[in-house]
Amino acid sequence: MLTTTTPEQLFHPAVRPLLEQITGRPGDGLRVAIAAPGGYGKSAVLGALERCYRDAGVDVVDAATLLSGGANPDAAVLIDDAHQLSESALHRLGDLAAGGLPRLVLTHRTRPRSATLKTLTESMEPVLLSPLDAAQVRRFTAALTGESPSTAIAAKLHLRTGGVPRFIERLITGTARASQEFRADLEALDPDVLRFLVASEAGAGRNLDLLCSLLDTDRAGVSAIIDDARATGMLGTDGELVPLAEEAVRTLSAVDRRLDVLQQLVELQLRHEQPVLELATSLLGTGIAGVMVAAGFETAAYEALPLDATLASTLFEAAAEAGRPAGELASGWARAAALSGDLDTALRLSDGLLTRDDPAERAVGATVAATVLAHRGELTRCAELYQWSADGSSLAFAAIGLFGTGKAESARALLAAPAPRAVPTLLAGAATRMAEGVGDSVSGSATDALSTLLGAAAMLEPAGTSALLPDAPAALAAIVALHSGELRLAESVLTPALAAGTGGKLLAVRQRLLLGWTAMTAGELGIAASQAQVVRETTAKLEPRDELFLTAMELGLARRNSDIPGIRRAWENAFDAVMRHRMNLFTLLPLGELVIAAARCGEHPRLSRHLEQARTLLAELGNPPLWTVSLHWSELHAAITMEDNAAAERHLAALAGTADFSHYSAILFGAARSWLAVLGGTADPQEVVATAGELHDLGLRWDAARLAGQAAIRTSDRKAMVMLLEAARQFQGRSNSGNTGNAESANAAADASILSEREQEVARLVVDGLTYKQAGDKLFISGKTVEHHMARIRAKLGAGDRRELLATLRELLDAPNRVEG
């Protein structure tokens, strides 16, 4: 009995009139039968009625006293749990009630209820208790604990307990006691009720045909058992297990009984060729084995494969552990492992399939192995395996691999050959369009290539996580878009593909990295960094292709943030990654970042082999402008950094040769000319601003700001410098329009890009409080040299005194998204 609660805190509205009647008119007759499932507070209600009668001076007796003949005729008879009385006691109680008993209140569960009890209660006023609502849960909890929980906590309590007072009390009073009481409840249940509750916990509570077979009864019998289960209080008003009771059934019911029920359910579903996924999932981790259990796990794995590849792979493994030969599971298991990102398992299983006698199994093995190798950067071997597999989509994927490794003629021949008879699935159609789109990027226009690849991405989106792909069509579309300066298109195709889970977990990292790369290219460095961080934190092991893009992006972020120590650290990681990945058409973006960083780190010769491979690949493809422009742009900046004027002129000439290909290539050529003019001291400030504006309009904010910023520090015209610095700020997304426009204001708001690398190093040490001598010792230069650097810095910034100089430097060096120097 929950004696700690007061009536106004707990009771159902139907109980309050009874309390008011007893308090105001205790001598009036009262014949009430209070019904509710177990745990709803019937005993608490009866206890409150008892207190009211006693406070009014009315004697109270229970069933034992009444039936023994020792009751005062005017006493109030209060009987708890009348459903537990024997038939003879109920008959005797019925006779006494018929002969008098003006004040009789009894409680009983809704089931089981004998015919005798039913007859007795039909002559009484019924009161049916319901679960507590969230507000009542809050008041009830306050009564139990002495502290009122927040509305949010009360809502959570209500959700977990279904508003059943007994469950609330158990949850609040401690895990050990609650477990002990739940275990006792379960052990006391009728066996059929317990079997139903276990079936309900496993997800079969609404499958009446399955329950009929499990409980060996007809539908009427099942309904009666469900009513008995509802009377325990463990089922909510919606017929589902209350969450707290569901946990108890899962964790506290006898293991052998629970496993017996689950195994029977699986076997029944298999026998009737019905879904077993939810039931088989309940058996994971139990260690149960046997032919039927293994068959259940395997069937469930194939059911899960289009929905959750990771779960499917787990179920295949469970089937093997339950006794199913692993070789007989290899076809589906290899596919599930690949889609879930477990490429080691996928490759091991697919390798075994390649030696099978069954052509269909060999084809699956080749497809899975080819997919894995694509993610590991082995496009040549990938294309061979896809050709060996020889179905429709595989041949298209082989063509993509051939284009990617410079074998355009072979790829076109493969696409032109008569296709084998195959089901025209979404995957087959999308694969063909992917291959055609890559082909267009090599020999056609950027517009045609993007249109085809965007169509492939849209076609495959409904297939979601179930499509096994060497690369996502959205990823290929984004790479082509990035090479074309179409940043908005890259983002617009990647975002829905990532949300739809296209390609499963296997391609989620790939698409997220390209989203980050797009943000970095657009100068959204914070967004790019957050995408990189998500990948680092959620991916235990990166495949070589993803590792290359991630480390190159981290390198690019360090460079754009003028983080000189960070560039050195990121360079080593990125170089390790590029050494583990073969160059192909789709890795030119990260190669470009490495080329520029290598020049800054004095490591350019270490990339000579990779650059030669890239140039050879592009030459074999006929130097397609869409793909060559970005690499020439990166090599131009590397040459500028190394002060290699001859190389810079060569790349300028190469960009000139592609200027007519597209609007993007024309703008990059114009920007390249501006860069060389800036470095040569011949740039027209107005033309620089115009050219940088064109870069900005393409979405290349960082590149635009950097060009204007570098032009500013190389001009001796004070007015031109102010204009260029303000342009740099605007291109970067910050404006100085609120200032007066004088040189000091503009310079004080300038970016760190106006300082050289050495000047930034010196400035950081001085801002940190080091003397000129201490800063010189750190940098292995003299204090006098540090002083000269600081003088040049002060002149560039236009600072009036040392205090203003230090304040300005703190702003520059701490500013987010700084333009690189």
Side-chain angles (χ1 to χ4, degrees), residues 718-774:
R718 193 73 169 171
K719 184 177 178 180
M721 181 176 70
V722 172
M723 178 189 69
L724 288 163
L725 286 173
E726 178 60 19
R729 290 182 58 81
Q730 290 177 350
F731 294 145
Q732 189 72 1
R734 297 188 294 276
S735 175
N736 194 40
S737 57
N739 289 333
T740 62
N742 58 46
E744 287 76 17
S745 300
N747 288 337
D751 291 294
S753 61
I754 69 172
L755 305 181
S756 69
E757 286 183 29
R758 176 60 85 185
E759 287 169 346
Q760 290 183 44
E761 291 175 331
V762 168
R764 284 194 177 92
L765 294 173
V766 173
V767 166
D768 287 342
L770 274 67
T771 66
Y772 289 169
K773 183 179 186 308
Q774 290 168 333

Side-chain angles (χ1 to χ4, degrees), residues 765-812:
L765 294 173
V766 173
V767 166
D768 287 342
L770 274 67
T771 66
Y772 289 169
K773 183 179 186 308
Q774 290 168 333
D777 290 342
K778 287 273 188 182
L779 299 173
F780 303 103
I781 58 179
S782 70
K784 197 68 175 175
T785 302
V786 172
E787 184 178 357
H788 289 319
H789 280 303
M790 291 301 293
R792 284 196 297 270
I793 292 170
R794 180 174 172 179
K796 286 182 178 181
L797 298 180
D801 54 28
R802 178 179 172 82
R803 181 178 178 181
E804 182 183 346
L805 172 62
L806 293 178
T808 304
L809 285 174
R810 288 190 186 95
E811 178 186 348
L812 294 185

Side-chain angles (χ1 to χ4, degrees), residues 570-791:
W571 155 257
E572 294 297 342
N573 292 334
F575 183 73
D576 288 348
V578 80
M579 289 297 291
R580 288 192 288 270
H581 194 290
R582 291 183 180 274
M583 288 307 307
N584 60 61
L585 190 63
F586 312 116
T587 57
L588 295 177
L589 290 173
L591 178 62
E593 275 301 329
L594 267 79
V595 166
I596 299 173
R600 295 196 62 177
C601 295
E603 302 282 6
H604 196 263
R606 296 175 70 184
L607 283 180
S608 58
R609 184 173 65 88
H610 298 86
L611 279 171
E612 186 58 35
Q613 289 174 348
R615 292 167 186 148
T616 301
L617 168 66
L618 290 169
E620 289 173 349
L621 293 172
N623 286 315
L626 187 149
W627 296 99
T628 59
V629 165
S630 294
L631 186 58
H632 282 304
W633 175 253
S634 297
E635 289 201 78
L636 171 79
H637 284 282
I640 290 172
T641 300
M642 295 184 294
E643 299 181 357
D644 186 343
N645 295 333
E649 291 292 343
R650 285 198 305 274
H651 294 299
L652 178 65
L655 288 168
T658 64
D660 293 335
F661 175 71
S662 68
H663 180 60
Y664 176 65
S665 58
I667 289 176
L668 286 192
F669 169 59
R673 282 194 307 180
S674 282
W675 265 109
L676 294 186
V678 165
L679 296 173
T682 62
D684 181 323
Q686 295 288 353
E687 290 183 5
V688 170
V689 171
T691 301
E694 292 180 327
L695 288 172
H696 180 271
D697 291 344
L698 278 176
L700 304 177
R701 289 169 41 196
W702 184 86
D703 290 275
R706 181 169 179 256
L707 175 57
Q710 290 295 308
I713 69 172
R714 286 173 168 80
T715 181
S716 58
D717 185 329
R718 193 73 169 171
K719 184 177 178 180
M721 181 176 70
V722 172
M723 178 189 69
L724 288 163
L725 286 173
E726 178 60 19
R729 290 182 58 81
Q730 290 177 350
F731 294 145
Q732 189 72 1
R734 297 188 294 276
S735 175
N736 194 40
S737 57
N739 289 333
T740 62
N742 58 46
E744 287 76 17
S745 300
N747 288 337
D751 291 294
S753 61
I754 69 172
L755 305 181
S756 69
E757 286 183 29
R758 176 60 85 185
E759 287 169 346
Q760 290 183 44
E761 291 175 331
V762 168
R764 284 194 177 92
L765 294 173
V766 173
V767 166
D768 287 342
L770 274 67
T771 66
Y772 289 169
K773 183 179 186 308
Q774 290 168 333
D777 290 342
K778 287 273 188 182
L779 299 173
F780 303 103
I781 58 179
S782 70
K784 197 68 175 175
T785 302
V786 172
E787 184 178 357
H788 289 319
H789 280 303
M790 291 301 293

Side-chain angles (χ1 to χ4, degrees), residues 159-199:
L159 182 65
R160 284 200 70 195
T161 64
V164 178
R166 179 186 295 169
F167 296 165
I168 299 169
E169 185 181 30
R170 288 179 180 178
L171 192 61
I172 290 172
T173 54
T175 304
R177 176 181 163 188
S179 297
Q180 183 179 7
E181 292 177 353
F182 267 122
R183 186 175 283 109
D185 288 346
L186 294 171
E187 290 175 352
L189 290 175
D190 175 86
D192 281 342
V193 172
L194 178 59
R195 291 168 71 79
F196 165 76
L197 291 177
V198 171

Side-chain angles (χ1 to χ4, degrees), residues 71-87:
N72 180 341
D74 294 325
V77 180
L78 305 184
I79 301 173
D80 201 11
D81 291 335
H83 58 279
Q84 295 182 354
L85 294 176
S86 66
E87 280 296 299

Side-chain angles (χ1 to χ4, degrees), residues 8-10 16 133-144 149:
E8 64 272 17
Q9 291 171 317
L10 171 61
R16 295 194 188 104
D133 61 26
Q136 290 169 322
V137 167
R138 189 178 185 189
R139 294 194 293 271
F140 179 50
T141 304
L144 285 175

